[in-house]
Amino acid sequence: MSGAGIRIEGLRKRYGSGDTAVDALKQVDMSVAPGEVVGLIGPSGSGKSTLLKCLGAVIEPTAGRMMLGEHTIYDDGWRVRDLRALRRDRIGFVFQAPYLIPFLDVTDNVALPPMLAGVPNAEARRRALGLLDALEVRHRAAAMPAQLSGGEQQRVAIARGLVNRPPVILADEPTAPLDSARALAVIRILNEMARRYRTAVIVVTHDEKIIPTFARIYHIRDGVTQEERGEGRSIG
Ligand SMILES: Nc1ncnc2c1ncn2[C@@H]1O[C@H](COP(=O)(O)OP(=O)(O)O)[C@@H](O)[C@H]1O
Ligand SMILES: [Mg+2]
């Protein structure tokens, strides 16, 4: 399924029911080609996190369709038997707050996902160190998470989201705590990963520094998406 790309059609999500129901997603249509990085932008409460959680099979949509490559994963109901395996093997999450494991050092935090997927320890650690290097935190490889700055923790969390080379990466405000140079470095790495491994990447962001780097942007407002051409400005 590597190099799969994403297609979403008519996706809807309602939280709750009756008088207190919230229609968080009303009409979401989106496609991300293998190797493409798209931005997802919208005001607070517009449905961005809900959309990423549906796509990441963390919550169940109410209606519509989601495809990974040729595989239908949701069509008015899940079409995948093992959702946990889908999340573990196909989706890389990069969350706003970095959830690192406090009793593992930086290298092991990043090496853990490939180890869990059966990659030999030495190879998993090699991959981890390569990504830590690219994200400019290799010098912290032996540190514990609590010893890192917020920006360092975020870069380690990003390395962990990328390390299994999933065909889909979902990033929720990945550059929020980073300075301009490091934010652009993160976007450069996401673009490199996307190109090299044919990954489809969705980046939720408000970050003015990185918005000009997207070739395509989806705006979401009140649970409805709309596509727009971006500037696709080179990030060297
Ligand atoms: N678990 C939940 N139960 C009920 N309503 C929710 C839940 N999560 C989010 N919402 C509502 O759904 C809407 C979209 O939320 P969210 O996807 O978090 O937006 P964003 O990430 O764009 O800020 C908001 O009105 C929010 O209050
Ligand atoms: Mg959100």
Side-chain angles (χ1 to χ4, degrees), residues 165-186:
R165 300 169 190 165
V168 176
I169 290 174
L170 306 175
D172 202 346
E173 298 275 359
T175 62
L178 305 179
D179 66 34
S180 191
R182 293 207 157 111
L184 289 171
V186 164

Side-chain angles (χ1 to χ4, degrees), residues 79-141:
R79 294 288 174 260
V80 174
R81 225 171 298 132
D82 191 347
L83 290 176
R84 188 190 291 193
L86 175 75
R87 284 192 292 266
R88 187 191 58 215
D89 301 334
R90 305 289 175 212
I91 317 278
F93 292 100
V94 177
F95 289 113
Q96 225 156 344
Y99 296 100
L100 299 175
I101 298 170
F103 51 85
L104 294 180
D105 73 15
V106 162
T107 307
D108 284 343
N109 260 281
V110 179
L112 187 63
M115 286 178 187
L116 291 176
V119 173
N121 286 11
E123 166 64 13
R125 293 176 65 90
R126 202 185 57 74
R127 274 191 214 171
L129 289 171
L131 273 171
L132 291 171
D133 202 23
L135 286 152
E136 298 176 43
V137 275
R138 172 124 186 200
H139 59 293
R140 307 296 269 145

Side-chain angles (χ1 to χ4, degrees), residues 11 26 141 188:
L11 201 72
K26 294 175 183 154
R188 190 154 50 232

Side-chain angles (χ1 to χ4, degrees), residues 15 22 24 43-50:
Y15 290 110
V22 176
S44 178
S46 57
K48 304 182 296 295
S49 295
T50 299

